[in-house]
């Protein structure tokens, strides 16, 4: 009887041990099935110094300048609508004036006008001077770059091509416009591809550093391409499907075996 009692007590303890082990394994299951991402990897400006208490001079902003294949929308206003009408035809097929390979546009009455490498404000002033002889009062000239767009792709919330209506866009605004970083975005090595004056340049921006605000790529130019790299944690989640599910299958099998053993011995 003592032996039977001892055996029953041992079996009961074994059951309790197996149950406790089962609950531990069930608790740890989600941790085995997900990748760990460090907190510092998802915080921007991690290495930034304290917030300055005085205004900081902006030295890296460069206004957008006119380049070949740009499209300019030009609107001329005057007390004399008849005098302004020829200049408001809308340009090429009504969509604006296309800048040719030499940096020129063709305007009614004024003919060919060289605009390459001029800022929008400089284009407005040049047009005002050229139009002055045709108006009794100085006309009001509005110019807008119609095809200022950026391309944001890679490990980002909503990759795509975005229009910039106001002629000014920062890296922070572009990332926000594209749905912000994901948990797997690399913030320390964001690639910016820029084409200017028949040259292509490549730059990198580090969002983990305050130097991002001083980067020559912080203020974007027309047709910039921004590529956000995925982190190594994303790479591990998209490796070969067979190797990815093996730990899960193994753990699930172990849990199922434990459940079967406990239920059979109840």
């Amino acid at each position: 009887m003592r032996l039977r009692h001892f055996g029953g007590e041992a079996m009961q303890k074994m059951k309790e041990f197996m149950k406790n082990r089962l609950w531990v394994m069930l608790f740890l299951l989600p941790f085995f099935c997900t990748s760990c991402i460090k907190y510092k990897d998802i915080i921007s400006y991690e290495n930034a110094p304290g917030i300055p208490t005085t205004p900081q001079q902006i030295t890296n902003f460069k206004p957008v300048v006119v380049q070949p294949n740009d499209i300019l929308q030009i609107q001329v206003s005057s007390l004399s609508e008849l005098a302004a009408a020829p200049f408001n035809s809308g340009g090429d097929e009504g969509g604006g004036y296309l800048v040719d390979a030499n940096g020129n546009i063709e305007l009614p009455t004024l003919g060919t006008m060289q605009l390459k490498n001029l800022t929008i404000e400089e284009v407005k002033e040049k047009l005002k001077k050229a139009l002055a002889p045709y108006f009794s009062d100085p006309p009001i000239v509005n110019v807008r770059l119609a095809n200022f767009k950026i391309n944001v792709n890679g490990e980002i919330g909503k990759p795509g091509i975005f229009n910039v209506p106001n002629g000014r866009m920062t890296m922070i605004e572009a990332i926000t416009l594209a749905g912000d970083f994901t948990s797997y975005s690399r913030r320390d090595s964001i690639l910016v591809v820029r084409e200017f004056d028949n040259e292509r340049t490549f730059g990198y921006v580090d969002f983990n550093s305050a130097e991002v605000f001083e980067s020559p790529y912080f203020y974007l130019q027309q047709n910039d391409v921004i590529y956000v790299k995925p982190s190594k944690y994303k790479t591990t989640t998209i490796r070969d499907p067979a190797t990815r599910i093996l730990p899960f299958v193994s753990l699930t099998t172990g849990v199922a075996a434990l459940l079967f053993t406990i239920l059979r011995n109840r």
Side-chain angles (χ1 to χ4, degrees), residues 69-138:
N69 298 318
D70 282 347
I71 298 176
L72 299 177
Q73 289 184 344
I74 300 173
Q75 182 72 32
V76 179
S77 301
S78 172
L79 294 176
S80 174
E81 295 183 5
L82 185 62
F87 305 103
N88 293 324
S89 60
D92 305 307
E93 299 181 357
Y97 294 92
L98 177 66
V99 181
D100 65 22
N102 297 316
N104 300 320
I105 62 172
E106 296 291 333
L107 288 168
T109 307
L110 299 180
T112 302
M113 181 169 288
Q114 171 64 234
L115 300 178
K116 185 178 180 180
N117 290 333
L118 296 181
T119 67
I120 298 301
E121 289 300 319
E122 290 171 340
V123 171
K124 289 169 61 175
E125 291 302 318
K126 187 170 184 176
L127 285 171
K128 286 180 182 179
K129 291 180 180 179
L131 291 169
Y134 302 93
F135 294 86
S136 56
D137 296 311

Side-chain angles (χ1 to χ4, degrees), residues 1-13:
M1 294 294 293
R2 280 187 182 180
L3 184 60
R4 181 179 297 179
H5 175 73
F6 177 78
E9 184 178 352
M11 183 60 70
Q12 185 64 30
K13 289 183 178 181

Side-chain angles (χ1 to χ4, degrees), residues 38-49 51 156 171-172 175-176 180-182 185-190 205-213 218 228:
K38 296 179 181 179
Y39 175 73
K40 68 177 184 179
D41 291 335
I42 60 174
I43 300 297
S44 298
Y45 326 125
E46 168 71 12
N47 299 322
I51 299 176
I156 198 73
M171 280 289 296
I172 295 176
I175 295 298
T176 303
D180 208 349
F181 295 118
T182 73
S185 300
R186 279 194 61 179
R187 291 161 166 77
D188 63 341
S189 185
I190 300 172
V205 176
D206 183 1
F207 263 70
N208 286 344
S209 170
E211 294 179 359
V212 61
F213 299 103
F218 181 73
V228 181

Side-chain angles (χ1 to χ4, degrees), residues 122-166:
E122 290 171 340
V123 171
K124 289 169 61 175
E125 291 302 318
K126 187 170 184 176
L127 285 171
K128 286 180 182 179
K129 291 180 180 179
L131 291 169
Y134 302 93
F135 294 86
S136 56
D137 296 311
I140 298 173
V141 179
N142 290 310
V143 180
R144 188 176 74 87
L145 183 60
N147 64 332
F148 188 168
K149 62 183 183 297
I150 57 172
N151 184 324
V152 187
N153 60 79
E155 189 59 39
I156 198 73
K158 297 178 181 179
I161 297 174
F162 304 94
N163 292 319
V164 182
N166 62 357

